[in-house]
Amino acid sequence: MIEDNNISSAWIRTLKHIIECPGNEITPLVVSLTEFNESPAFRVALDSDLKKNDKAKVHTVAETIFPESLYVLNGYDRHKLYKGFLEILPRIKKIDASSNARGTYFERLIAFDGGPKGKINQLENIITSLQDRVIKRRSKLQASIFDPSKDHTEGAYQRFPCLQHVTFYMTPNGKLILNSFYAVQYLYERAYGNWLGLINLGKFVAHEIGTELERFTCFIGVEKLDKLTKSEGQNLLDLMAEKANL
């Protein structure tokens, strides 16, 4: 269990725990964040290391969960965001056809394949429910990413979707909590961007209902060190200490 008010610090603590303990996984891991501070110098240093290893930058990973830049571009209008995202979705899938063949995270949130019911905008259902402020059934405040009809495959290696599920909760003081669930998460390549993207998603929902995001909690079945050895992980920590003063 890692509880912090800084995304950068939480990521570093997770990496340190894996390095100091046997194996290269944490099973399970719970990360709970408030205030959502971040070290810009840390982000620059991590992005530089990711680029060196031909991995996506933190911002790129975060945008797969919530396309904040598109939200800003559309004047913080969520309906324009939905429409604009679905319009460019074919291009997004074409850019990385191997990863996006079964869909994208934000697509599953706003256009989940409901079979005979058609496409379901799970986020809009949650937002309109929260706007009422009288939640008769809290189980309604959840959205699925994993789709058994598409994702139960026999492939030996499947990267999407690692994020399975998100739920929302309104506290007695009217603030918002976002919970997320991962079967497997890749610490080096994805975790920081995942957490940032989910926090941005929570802030989006909070903004749309006129409140603030109070806490983000991520439940992970298996947190993997993925592409790094422990010695490489320690070298990365040393680099962060030097460049980001962490």
Side-chain angles (χ1 to χ4, degrees):
M1 172 71 182
I2 293 180
E3 190 168 13
D4 214 308
N5 62 8
N6 187 294
I7 310 172
S8 308
S9 173
W11 192 92
I12 289 171
R13 288 172 62 191
T14 305
L15 178 55
K16 283 182 176 179
H17 184 85
I18 293 180
I19 291 172
E20 293 169 0
C21 296
N24 64 352
E25 300 177 347
I26 302 174
T27 307
L29 172 69
V30 179
V31 176
S32 192
L33 298 170
T34 56
E35 297 183 36
F36 319 117
N37 298 316
E38 186 181 10
S39 166
F42 172 86
R43 171 94 78 88
V44 170
L46 179 58
D47 274 341
S48 176
D49 200 77
L50 287 166
K51 183 179 180 181
K52 181 182 69 177
N53 289 290
D54 296 319
K55 303 300 180 185
K57 290 185 175 182
V58 168
H59 173 78
T60 302
V61 174
E63 291 270 306
T64 66
I65 295 173
F66 180 71
E68 184 180 29
S69 58
L70 191 60
Y71 185 45
V72 174
L73 184 64
N74 281 282
Y76 300 97
D77 183 318
R78 71 177 187 271
H79 299 290
K80 289 183 179 179
L81 167 65
Y82 302 150
K83 183 175 183 292
F85 179 82
L86 293 175
E87 286 176 348
I88 65 172
L89 183 59
R91 278 182 283 164
I92 293 174
K93 290 184 175 182
K94 188 175 181 180
I95 290 171
D96 191 354
S98 60
S99 297
N100 297 329
R102 292 188 311 280
T104 70
Y105 289 113
F106 195 63
E107 178 191 7
R108 295 273 178 103
L109 288 170
I110 67 169
F112 193 89
D113 187 356
K117 293 183 178 180
K119 302 295 184 180
I120 300 172
N121 190 330
Q122 301 180 91
L123 271 187
E124 187 61 19
N125 289 340
I126 289 168
I127 289 170
T128 54
S129 296
L130 287 167
Q131 283 174 333
D132 294 338
R133 286 299 196 276
V134 180
I135 310 300
K136 297 180 180 179
R137 182 169 57 83
R138 287 185 293 182
S139 61
K140 186 179 181 181
L141 305 179
Q142 58 184 311
S144 295
I145 306 296
F146 188 83
D147 183 347
S149 67
K150 295 182 174 68
D151 304 323
H152 269 155
T153 71
E154 298 302 322
Y157 186 68
Q158 183 170 305
R159 298 298 294 268
F160 177 88
C162 294
L163 174 62
Q164 308 290 296
H165 201 73
V166 295
T167 68
F168 294 85
Y169 171 71
M170 184 77 76
T171 67
N173 64 352
K175 300 297 178 62
L176 192 66
I177 292 174
L178 169 61
N179 301 307
S180 66
F181 303 83
Y182 280 83
V184 178
Q185 184 170 243
Y186 298 92
L187 177 63
Y188 173 66
E189 187 175 344
R190 293 283 176 174
Y192 198 102
N194 287 342
W195 299 343
L196 182 63
L198 286 161
I199 287 168
N200 289 339
L201 175 67
K203 288 180 176 179
F204 159 71
V205 174
H207 176 265
E208 292 298 323
I209 65 173
T211 189
E212 296 177 0
L213 180 66
E214 182 176 274
R215 181 177 291 274
F216 158 67
T217 302
C218 191
F219 302 85
I220 304 117
V222 180
E223 184 75 40
K224 295 178 64 69
L225 189 54
D226 59 285
K227 299 298 182 181
L228 297 181
T229 65
K230 287 193 174 186
S231 60
E232 289 171 336
Q234 186 59 57
N235 290 339
L236 181 57
L237 286 177
D238 294 340
L239 177 67
M240 297 304 173
E242 178 185 343
K243 292 192 174 182
N245 195 28
L246 289 169

